C-alpha cells in the first residue's frame, strides 16, 4: 500500500513566478492537509480539503490556493512567489472516521525561490 | 489557537543515555497530542499519540510519552538512546472536539546522539 506521495521532490523558481505542487493521499484517505515548513521551524497549517472543498484555512494569504480532485488527490498553487515562500511543503492525509487522530505525511516538496 | 512549546531546540545525549524531549501545550481543554520524527530530507513520521485512556503512551522505536494534565505537558522519553535516533522531533496537538483535525506544531527539537 503506497503511502502519501508528493511531486516534485525539489523545485526552483524565481520571484513572481507561480508554482503547483501535487499530492496523492494514502489509499482510503479522503482528507488532505497542506503544511509549510520553513527552515528551522515547525510545520505551519496552510489549508485542508475534504470532499473537494477547502474546509479550513490557516494564516496564509490568498496567493496560496488549492484544489482537490474526485480521486482525493490535491494540488497546492502559490502565485507571485516571494523569497519567503522558500520552504518544505508537506501534504498529509487522514481517514474520514479518524481525522482527529492520525495524519500521515508525505516526504514533501522542497521549494527554493530565487 | 493552540500553542505548543518545545523546551530546548537542541538536545545532545550519549549513546545509551536517557532521552528526554519536553513539550507543553497551552489549551485549557486537553487536546489530542502527538510526537512526530523527521529524519534529514524526509517527511514526518508519527512516533506516538495520545487521544484518550492511559496517560502513558508507548510508540515506535522504544519511545514513550506521558500526558500530564496538571502540567499541560507531553514529554517524550526513551530509556537508552541509539545513534539512529538522531533526528528532529516535533510535538503537535489538535483540538479535541473539533471536526477539522488541524495540527499545531512546536518548533522542533534536534536530537544529537554521540557515540
Amino acid at each position: 500500500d503506497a503511502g502519501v506521495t508528493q511531486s516534485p521532490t525539489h523545485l526552483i523558481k524565481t520571484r513572481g513566478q507561480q508554482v503547483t505542487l501535487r499530492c496523492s493521499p494514502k489509499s482510503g484517505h479522503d482528507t488532505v492537509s497542506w503544511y509549510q515548513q520553513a527552515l528551522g521551524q515547525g510545520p505551519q497549517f496552510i489549508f485542508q480539503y475534504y470532499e473537494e472543498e477547502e474546509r479550513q484555512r490557516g494564516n496564509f494569504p490568498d496567493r496560496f490556493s488549492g484544489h482537490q480532485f474526485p480521486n482525493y488527490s490535491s494540488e497546492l498553487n502559490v502565485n507571485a512567489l516571494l523569497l519567503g515562500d522558500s520552504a518544505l511543503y508537506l501534504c498529509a492525509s487522514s481517514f474520514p472516521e479518524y481525522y482527529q487522530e492520525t495524519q500521515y505525511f508525505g516526504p514533501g516538496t522542497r521549494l527554493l525561490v530565487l | 489557537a493552540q500553542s505548543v512549546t518545545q523546551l530546548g531546540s537542541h538536545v545532545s545525549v550519549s549513546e545509551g543515555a536517557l532521552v528526554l524531549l519536553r513539550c507543553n501545550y497551552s489549551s485549557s481543554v486537553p487536546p489530542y497530542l502527538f510526537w512526530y520524527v523527521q529524519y534529514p530530507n524526509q517527511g514526518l513520521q508519527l512516533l506516538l499519540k495520545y487521544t484518550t485512556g492511559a496517560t502513558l503512551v508507548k510508540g515506535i522505536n522504544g519511545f514513550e510519552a506521558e500526558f500530564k494534565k496538571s502540567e499541560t505537558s507531553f514529554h517524550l522519553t526513551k530509556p537508552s538512546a541509539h545513534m539512529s535516533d538522531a533526528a528532529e522531533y516535533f510535538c503537535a496537538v489538535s483540538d479535541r472536539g473539533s471536526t477539522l483535525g488541524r495540527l499545531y506544531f512546536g518548533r522542533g527539537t534536534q536530537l544529537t546522539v554521540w557515540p
Side-chain angles (χ1 to χ4, degrees):
Chain A
D1 177 28
V4 179
T5 60
Q6 293 186 243
S7 63
T9 56
H10 295 81
L11 206 51
I12 299 176
K13 292 286 187 178
T14 57
R15 281 177 295 177
Q17 285 190 312
Q18 179 265 344
V19 68
T20 297
L21 311 181
R22 295 176 176 82
C23 171
S24 291
K26 188 175 170 63
S27 178
H29 289 190
D30 66 355
T31 300
V32 174
S33 302
W34 287 92
Y35 293 81
Q36 180 196 65
Q37 185 180 10
L39 195 63
Q41 304 292 321
Q44 298 291 316
F45 177 79
I46 302 175
F47 42 54
Q48 184 180 81
Y49 276 84
Y50 171 70
E51 293 188 341
E52 302 180 50
E53 290 191 0
E54 184 181 293
R55 187 158 67 171
Q56 190 185 24
R57 188 179 186 90
N59 189 27
F60 280 81
D62 292 344
R63 298 187 297 109
F64 289 77
S65 63
H67 187 76
Q68 185 178 35
F69 298 93
N71 66 353
Y72 309 125
S73 67
S74 177
E75 288 183 349
L76 165 65
N77 300 292
V78 186
N79 295 320
L81 284 168
L82 304 174
L83 296 180
D85 295 330
S86 295
L88 179 67
Y89 288 85
L90 296 164
C91 170
S93 70
S94 51
F95 275 118
E97 294 84 16
Y98 301 110
Y99 49 77
Q100 275 292 76
E101 297 195 354
T102 301
Q103 293 190 27
Y104 293 84
F105 283 81
T109 293
R110 192 165 295 280
L111 172 65
L112 178 61
V113 182
L114 301 176
Chain B
Q2 293 275 2
S3 175
V4 179
T5 302
Q6 292 184 240
L7 292 175
S9 58
H10 290 84
V11 170
S12 294
V13 300
S14 299
E15 192 171 21
L18 171 70
V19 175
L20 171 60
L21 305 182
R22 301 178 187 273
C23 173
N24 290 86
Y25 62 90
S26 65
S27 173
S28 58
V29 176
Y32 293 133
L33 298 152
F34 307 83
W35 275 98
Y36 283 87
V37 61
Q38 186 175 39
Y39 297 100
N41 300 314
Q42 294 188 26
L44 300 175
Q45 180 182 8
L46 181 68
L47 274 177
L48 48 78
K49 63 185 180 186
Y50 171 77
T51 55
T52 187
T55 56
L56 182 62
V57 180
K58 295 187 184 298
I60 62 172
N61 302 338
F63 284 94
E64 61 183 35
E66 185 171 11
F67 166 58
K68 292 187 176 181
K69 182 179 178 180
S70 61
E71 298 177 7
T72 61
S73 70
F74 191 56
H75 301 332
L76 181 70
T77 60
K78 182 174 180 177
S80 177
H82 191 273
M83 296 292 289
S84 61
D85 294 327
E88 183 121 34
Y89 291 80
F90 292 95
C91 180
V93 305
S94 67
D95 292 326
R96 187 179 296 270
S98 167
T99 60
L100 299 172
R102 167 183 178 170
L103 289 172
Y104 299 83
F105 285 87
R107 296 186 65 168
T109 298
Q110 180 68 46
L111 175 66
T112 300
V113 182
W114 300 99

